[in-house]
Amino acid sequence: MSMIKAHHLAASYGHGDTALKVVKDVSFEVQKGETFGLVGESGCGKSTILGALAGRNKQWTGSIEIDGETIGQKRTRAQLAKQQLVFQDPFGSIHPRHTIGRTLLEPLEIHGKDRRQERIEKVLTDVGLPLNFRYRYPHQLSGGQRQRVAIARALILEPKILLLDEPTSALDVSIQAEILNLLKDLRQREQLTYILVSHDLAVVAHLCDRVAMMQSGGFVEIATRQQLLENTVEHAYTRILMDGSRGYVSERRNNKGEALPV
Amino acid sequence: MAKSGTFSNLHDWLISEDFTSARQARLHTVYLGWLSLVANPLAFAGFAVVLLLVIVAAFAPMIAIHDPFAQDFAMALQAPSAAHWFGTDEFGRDVFSRLIYGARTTLYITILVTVIVAPIGFVIGATAGYLGGWVDVVLMRITDIFLSFPSLVLALAFSAALGPGIENAVIAIALTVWPPIARLARAETLTFRNADFVIAAELQGAGTGRILLRHIVPLCAPSIIVRLTLNMSSIILTAAGLGFLGLGAQPPMAEWGAMAASGRQYLLDAWWLTTVPGIAILTVSLAFNLLGDGLRDIMDPRNG
Amino acid sequence: MSIIQTSEPSAPRKSALPKAAGKVATSFVVILTTLLGLMMITFTVGRMVPADPVIAVIGDQADQATYDRVYKEMGLDRPIYVQFAGYLSDVVRLDFGQSIITKQPVSTDLARVFPATIELATLATIIGAGLGIPLGVIAAVRKGTWVDHVARVVGLLGYSTPIFWLGTIVILVFYAHLGAIPPGGRIYLYDEGIVQARTNFILIDAALGGHWDVFRSALHHIIAPAVILGYASMAYLSRMTRSFMLEQMRQEYILTARAKGLGQRPIVWRHAFRNIRVQLLTVIALAYCGLLDGTVLIETVFAWPGLGSYLTSALFFADMNAVLGSVLLIGIISIAINLLSDIVYRFIDPRTR
Amino acid sequence: ATPKDELVIAITMTTMRGLDPHEINQLEAAEVVANLYDRLIALPPDNITDPQPSLAESWTISEDGKTFTFKIQQGVTFHSGNPVTAHDVEWSLHRLVKLGLAPSTDLRQWGFSAKNVDELIRAEDDHTLVLQTPEVWNPNLILYSLASYSTSIVDATFLAGKEKDGDWARNYLQTADAGSGPYSLVTWRSNQLLIADAFKDYWKGMPAMKRVYMGHVPESSAQRLQIDAGDVDVATRLSSTDLSGLERDGKVTVQKVPGFGFYYLALNQKDEILSNPKVREAFRYLIDYDGLANSVMKYYGTKQQTIIPAGLPGASDEMPYKLDVDKAKQLLAEAGYPDGFSKVYFAQPGTPESELGVSLQNSAAKAGIKLDLQIGDQIGKFRSRQFELFSSRTGERLPDPHAVLQSYATNANNADDAKLSGLVAWRSAWDVPKDIQDMVIAAAHETDAEKRDALYARINETYLRASPALVTSFQRTDPKAVRHEVKGYVGHPTWLTRWDTVTKSE
Amino acid sequence: MANTSDTILTVENMSVEFPTLSGVTTAVRDVSFTVGREKIGIIGESGSGKSTTGRAIMRLQPPQAIVKANRMQFEDIDLLTASEEEMRSIRGRRIAMILQDPKYSLNPVMTVGEQISETVILHERATSQEARSRTLAMLERVNIRDPERVFDLYPHEVSGGMGQRIMISMMLIAQPSLIIADEPTSALDVTVRQQVLSILDDLVVERNIGLIFISHDLNLVRSFCDRVIIMYAGRVVETIAAADLDQAQHPYTRGLLNALPSLDHPKDRLEVLRRDPAWLEN
Ligand SMILES: Nc1ncnc2c1ncn2[C@@H]1O[C@H](COP(=O)(O)OP(=O)(O)OP(=O)(O)O)[C@@H](O)[C@H]1O
Ligand SMILES: Nc1ncnc2c1ncn2[C@@H]1O[C@H](COP(=O)(O)OP(=O)(O)OP(=O)(O)O)[C@@H](O)[C@H]1O
Ligand SMILES: [Mg+2]
Ligand SMILES: [Mg+2]
Ligand code: NI
């Protein structure tokens, strides 16, 4: 059963002659419980796709189906609650003047949920934060802790899908590991479906079942995890990305001259 | 300095970041603000003067040593003396007492204008900034029209039109003060409009009103409060300017600007009539400026 | 890698022309609506003023028949929108009507009084910017030192001083007690009528006509009000300069410049200051418009025959044409100044080119 | 310091609106017009009730008192060089009446109108002008009127060229002169300055002051500083305090030029409370006559509680009222308002009117009357009877009791639509007792001086007892501070202060 | 391995302290290392004091910071006692610094060419003509194709990768013997990063100079540098040859390595770093 189905999805910014088509005709399906990766260089349209799925970006064409339900440009609250976005920057994604408790309470109020304190306590425990953190302000938290709060906020509405936009790229490796582990645990426990954007293929390979390589708004290849690990990807661009995530490749050592293949 | 036990306990409780309740978290922030205010001598001086103004205004009848309205031509234009600390005016009224009562007028105008202007400015600015599009265009056009008048000219025109009187002066001043607040609110809103936490709230289904009130207000509040505090100084100056031109407060009400203005007629024989209210205006206006400037450092570190 | 080798600046440049034309068109519409709004406000204000314009013309003791006739003559019997429309169509033909007080066409009056204000405001801005900007820069560079504190107090004092009061005290001290400055006005009364009015800028006219004694007298007269206004504007400009400079000095590129081995002076002036020029320009433009405010009061105190006093007396005596004309002029000037600063802004900031 | 052969006068110009002698209605402009133009007759400032020849070298009055024949001086020229003839006089007086603006009252009150003036005022030849009055009036009233600034003689030939759309050159004359007076206008910049040069062909000889400057110095303290420093020679808008100060310093003489007008408080008689005679009476006890007289009003007025100005026939120095709050309270109680009441009170801006207002507000408060004082230009509301209390001052320009009485004591029709808005009695909606009105009319027609005096004495008495709606407290004086070295600048009670008599010593 | 005979920089027991409202924070504590004609990497978590170390060497620490050390010797110069005047002549000419994000570290209102030639004019008293030709040559050296055109561009008109190359040319034009690069590529895409690094690599090797490369990317440092300094909470916990990183001894270094997801050695769960207070005791 597929949780997300995007068909001929295209998205753009701006109007009239300043309009910019950023995502050009991509189609993909994500199964329930699966993690789908999106990689590609900066500006290729990864966040835009997530935006379209989450309901943030309303200028898209094609069709989107979530949890069997076809989604339009305008969404109901219930539809919005089905998927939640986790942002890259843990410093910018939490309201700086709300306590953590307040931040977590907000979605409950919007959706008129009951048992609010109970839910907050549960979700804090789920993401591994002490309960008295709810009285703290974001500036009193480390980056990793904030990212946990961001995940908690996304989880509190009990969504089926988490859309993760580079959730660890602002974090140190040691903390990245904690978050990646947390995401793995949650996926298992809550039966969640993920779409993960990253530019680190190692991270993608760690978490994802399948990954789409993007270049200037389109998919150039969709590889399985197996392919990545076995280094059997086909597209040249994917190879560059793979080399990149292994570190620096000295050209002098390779003695190949200055230009790298594109 | 040795603190008594309870005080140092309270201090520790307030300063601790290990909160056990939301109330403690709030008090903590307030207390930190207070500490930084105390640590900033200029701002604290401003705060002290403002506090003094409030106290003087509240207890005017007890502080004033004479009836501020009692006329006695026999006592007109007396130089400062033990009986009349700041002398008497052309009607023989005690300038010190009038000054004390003038604090009420000043505070009344300042507060009333601020109370009118803050919500209007915020709502217009934040709505324009948040909604964008034609709403933004229309609202900002109106704001710009008001902004394209120098503010005193506009206040002058309106209070001339509405007629003299303190309420009219308040309206006239309010009309000139809201546009910069709206602009500020809009600019602030724009910087937060696309912040991730606002988008997160939107994606969870929060409506416009909720986002403006719950998310944007707390963020704009510091800079708007700072601006309002600084504005109080210019409100005082504008009110005084209107009083000076014969608009604003009407006799026998004591208003510093009007006092300074009418004192100008007696400048050469009774320097205190103009000088004393002038210094009062200067002091209070400076105090609000110092306070606002300090608050900016405390609440809005971006503007260094 | 070719994606990176070529940068994209040439692309937007091609379409710059039609875009610019569109921009001009929109800003034209914007200005027009602003002006219209401006006139609507002033017109309404004018109609609300309690003083009776007819009495301003005929005087207190005239009888009713006279009153009624003049009322009609002034067109006050027509519906208000007709009056407004009539006024608009006159204004479009650059006819602001006649002033009740001066019995001159308002445009003639404005041509006479406005230069006096411009002269004052310009000199004040020169004083204010000339002192305020360096002061602000120094305060920012020496942040936290005594220079900074002095600059801050001087600046805040400038913000906080009631300008009319300062003017009064200055006259009391410097004219009455010290005799160091003249009492007010642009020149001594008995120097009037010597210089031929060409531009109505008395300094320029006197210089053109070679009347150096009048020139000196005029200079002598303008100094006190200009310095007082200049002080207010200096206060503002130095505060703004300081905060702009502080913000720039925090930027990474300043670290780069220091890493290059640049000394303090080139870092401050060549790097940081260059970055605030644009903002400063906007602020100076604002300060200049703000000075038009200050002139209302300072002109009253120093009996300066400029736009400020013209407007005030027009307001108090229900001289509607004069009020509308001068407010419109002030509005146009501040729109023009802002537009100008916008244009220069585009010109000097490479990022907006 | 000012040049030796030039006169510098500091004034307040805000109310100076144009210089057309047939249109203006204001003291400062009148002083200018007085010097730009001449009139048939002159009233010497020191003997104001004694008409002297000016452009008219002589005149005769017919037996029936209705026909006045004036001989016009020969050899007098206008500034344009045109000779002054009877036709100019005829044209000027017709112009005054036909324009019908405020000052035209000076002739129209005697029955002249646009319809009859062509017939009643005629030039017989170049040097003879005949003027007939529709009714018999005391002849002095007519002669005084012909000495008023409003009957200034303008240059008809010259103005013919300046006429546009039959406007009697009104537009032109606002800012220019066409007179034969000792000075010709060089520049007038509203609210700034006025320059007039001596007319070298003036028929009395060229004035000593080659040039006169009038500067707009609105601040009393500035005027004081400037006259003190010698930057101006004459200052006319000083506060009483500054005048005292100047007098003390001894560099100037202060003239208290008497005027024929009053500082008054008008109580709207359409108001139920204010129309109660006891309430009206109470207000007379609420003015701090003595306090004001020694301070604010020291130079601006002399105490006068009766209606005929001091120095005129029938005037009395009776002062029955003084500040007496208890008495006022008692009167209010008798009237049925023991707890007082609240009213809106309009006072004119500027010194001393605003101070008078503040003072009254204060003493009224003591008697329980709460006055919401609004200082501002509210004349329009007063004219249209939309006020409760109003105070200001009047300035009548004929040195005759009739001028004041007509405005303060006649009101032929008290209806709203009668619109006799030239009269302060009508504006206050005060239905003046019939006997007073009759006496006023009779006195104006009376040609016998003694009978007239007696009549005025009676009017004065009756008026006082009528507890009038117009509370007069001070008779207006206009102070002028003149530096000692300036001689011959003599303030004129009917606003016709001349500059051609001025010389400077040292 | 580094040739110790060719030491450019020696730092002994350097500490950097920041006085704050709540007492003194020690951002860097007793750090010692040497730099030869080699590429030395500094890694560590955010806030571990990497940038502070780099800036302290150039004496570009924030004004309130207090730098203490037993010895800080750069070639013939004692950095501890050098006057500000001397430091200025060293900065940019003998020690250069490349910052993280070209978007912010170039002056937005000066042309690229102006900013590069400024260095030459400053340090070598070159005429503007000479400076221009030197600049053009340098731009060419960092693989910019059309230097004439790029010379007159403003920073916002160039891409990130190009900006970083401009930054490199600006810093290397005066031929310094030591370069401090503070995360020079972390704002860049993987693909661009490779290219910028290879240019930097070439220049360092070609001119035989020292490079301090600050980064928190373990894989990058491992493959790019010769030697690695590992910092934790302001302290150097370990210094090791890049090739031997996998054999690192310190539990912190090991922890970091194990926390890293890897394409070559996939793990189901990542190991989480367990911090030991004992690491804070030197
Ligand atoms: N609000 C917007 N308005 C206009 N253009 C936009 C907007 N947001 C993004 N873009 C443009 O759309 C393109 C794709 O942006 P997007 O954020 O989806 O890229 P990304 O793949 O997420 O990049 P990164 O890795 O840097 O996050 C970019 O060229 C960007 O400039
Ligand atoms: N101006 C300052 N005032 C006070 N403390 C500072 C200041 N600058 C840096 N610090 C402190 O010094 C420590 C080291 O900071 P530094 O910037 O050197 O870390 P870093 O290793 O470069 O981190 P990153 O990887 O995030 O760049 C931090 O704990 C920081 O809080
Ligand atoms: Mg993105
Ligand atoms: Mg760093
Ligand atoms: Ni298809």
Side-chain angles (χ1 to χ4, degrees), chain B residues 191-256:
Chain B
T191 62
F192 302 120
R193 205 242 150 289
N194 286 315
D196 287 346
F197 54 84
V198 171
I199 288 166
E202 278 175 3
L203 293 184
Q204 289 176 327
T208 304
R210 182 176 198 93
I211 288 192
L212 285 182
L213 287 180
R214 297 286 184 99
H215 295 256
I216 307 277
V217 168
L219 288 166
C220 299
S223 55
I224 290 185
I225 288 173
V226 167
R227 174 63 67 86
L228 285 172
T229 312
L230 292 173
N231 259 351
M232 290 186 183
S233 147
S234 65
I235 292 169
I236 290 171
L237 291 184
T238 310
L242 289 180
F244 174 76
L245 293 171
L247 300 160
Q250 289 300 295
M253 184 178 260
E255 197 272 325
W256 294 344

Side-chain angles (χ1 to χ4, degrees), chain A residues 248-260, chain E residues 143 194-199 201-202:
Chain A
Y248 172 69
V249 186
S250 169
E251 286 157 20
R252 266 178 301 97
R253 278 175 238 170
N254 294 359
N255 215 8
K256 264 199 268 174
E258 58 147 310
L260 280 158
Chain E
N143 293 348
Q194 176 68 31
Q195 213 198 10
V196 169
L197 284 178
S198 82
I199 288 165
D201 191 11
D202 286 351

Side-chain angles (χ1 to χ4, degrees), chain D residues 241-424:
Chain D
T241 329
D242 282 330
L243 287 164
S244 311
L246 281 174
E247 255 187 340
R248 221 177 25 242
D249 295 349
K251 281 185 212 157
V252 302
T253 347
V254 178
Q255 298 178 12
K256 265 172 84 174
V257 185
F260 305 117
F262 288 101
Y263 288 88
Y264 64 91
L265 169 69
L267 309 168
N268 194 338
Q269 296 304 295
K270 295 209 285 185
D271 184 286
E272 196 206 314
I273 301 174
L274 298 176
S275 61
N276 185 320
K278 300 253 175 185
V279 174
R280 298 199 304 236
E281 188 77 7
F283 274 102
R284 309 210 90 172
Y285 288 102
L286 289 176
I287 295 170
D288 186 1
Y289 301 94
D290 296 323
L292 288 163
N294 293 325
S295 56
V296 177
M297 298 303 292
K298 187 168 172 197
Y299 297 90
Y300 277 90
T302 48
K303 251 185 347 176
Q304 185 77 352
Q305 296 173 348
T306 46
I307 194 63
I308 293 188
L312 293 181
S316 138
D317 52 9
E318 196 185 345
M319 298 288 166
Y321 299 105
K322 62 175 180 14
L323 177 66
D324 188 342
V325 177
D326 293 333
K327 175 84 183 162
K329 271 189 180 154
Q330 184 197 331
L331 284 164
L332 287 175
E334 286 169 20
Y337 307 103
D339 302 324
F341 47 84
S342 299
K343 290 286 166 215
V344 175
Y345 172 26
F346 294 148
Q348 289 294 100
T351 192
E353 285 102 319
S354 59
E355 286 93 337
L356 286 175
V358 175
S359 171
L360 175 66
Q361 181 189 38
N362 179 57
S363 39
K366 288 186 194 154
I369 303 174
K370 209 172 150 283
L371 295 181
D372 174 10
L373 176 59
Q374 297 188 7
I375 295 180
D377 186 0
Q378 304 278 12
I379 286 267
K381 297 245 173 75
F382 181 44
R383 283 179 66 96
S384 53
R385 297 173 152 198
Q386 289 159 349
F387 69 101
E388 293 177 334
L389 281 85
F390 178 89
S391 72
S392 182
R393 64 176 178 191
T394 57
E396 274 70 27
R397 297 181 321 274
L398 299 188
D400 190 278
H402 181 68
V404 168
L405 287 174
Q406 191 190 25
S407 178
Y408 284 74
T410 69
N411 182 6
N413 182 351
N414 195 31
D416 276 351
D417 53 9
K419 302 232 161 135
L420 302 176
S421 52
L423 310 175
V424 288

Side-chain angles (χ1 to χ4, degrees), chain A residues 122-169:
Chain A
K122 173 178 185 299
V123 82
L124 278 174
T125 322
D126 281 352
V127 298
L129 289 175
L131 289 186
N132 68 356
F133 265 43
R134 74 174 101 164
Y135 304 121
R136 293 211 177 180
Y137 285 98
H139 69 261
Q140 296 165 328
L141 267 55
S142 72
Q145 289 167 334
R146 286 187 211 202
Q147 202 60 306
R148 283 171 193 266
V149 172
I151 293 171
R153 176 182 57 193
L155 287 177
I156 201 159
L157 287 177
E158 296 166 355
K160 307 208 159 159
I161 301 164
L162 277 194
L163 304 167
L164 305 155
D165 195 350
E166 312 203 23
T168 59
S169 62

Side-chain angles (χ1 to χ4, degrees), chain A residues 13 20 22 40-49 88 165-166:
Chain A
Y13 292 107
L20 181 69
V22 165
E41 72 186 26
S42 183
C44 69
K46 307 182 293 288
S47 302
T48 309
I49 291 181
Q88 167 180 3
D165 195 350
E166 312 203 23

Side-chain angles (χ1 to χ4, degrees), chain C residues 5 256 260 270 274-275, chain E residues 105 107 114-115 118 123 143:
Chain C
Q5 278 290 346
T256 310
K260 274 195 234 176
R270 187 143 21 110
R274 253 209 225 183
N275 272 281
Chain E
S105 41
N107 189 332
E114 228 181 316
Q115 297 189 54
E118 194 181 36
H123 290 299
N143 293 348

Side-chain angles (χ1 to χ4, degrees), chain A residues 54-56 77 80 84-85 87 92-98 102 106-107 109-111 132 135-136 140 153, chain B residues 17-22 25-26 28-29 196-197 199-206 210 214-215 218-219 222 299:
Chain A
R56 171 183 188 178
R77 274 206 187 126
L80 280 171
Q84 286 296 312
L85 200 55
F87 297 85
S93 64
I94 306 177
H95 198 291
R97 291 188 187 266
H98 287 173
R102 182 74 212 285
E106 189 75 6
E109 281 184 6
I110 295 172
H111 288 264
N132 68 356
Y135 304 121
R136 293 211 177 180
Q140 296 165 328
R153 176 182 57 193
Chain B
E17 299 215 334
D18 216 3
F19 307 136
T20 50
S21 74
R26 261 196 308 278
H28 170 79
T29 354
D196 287 346
F197 54 84
I199 288 166
E202 278 175 3
L203 293 184
Q204 289 176 327
R210 182 176 198 93
R214 297 286 184 99
H215 295 256
L219 288 166
M299 302 172 75

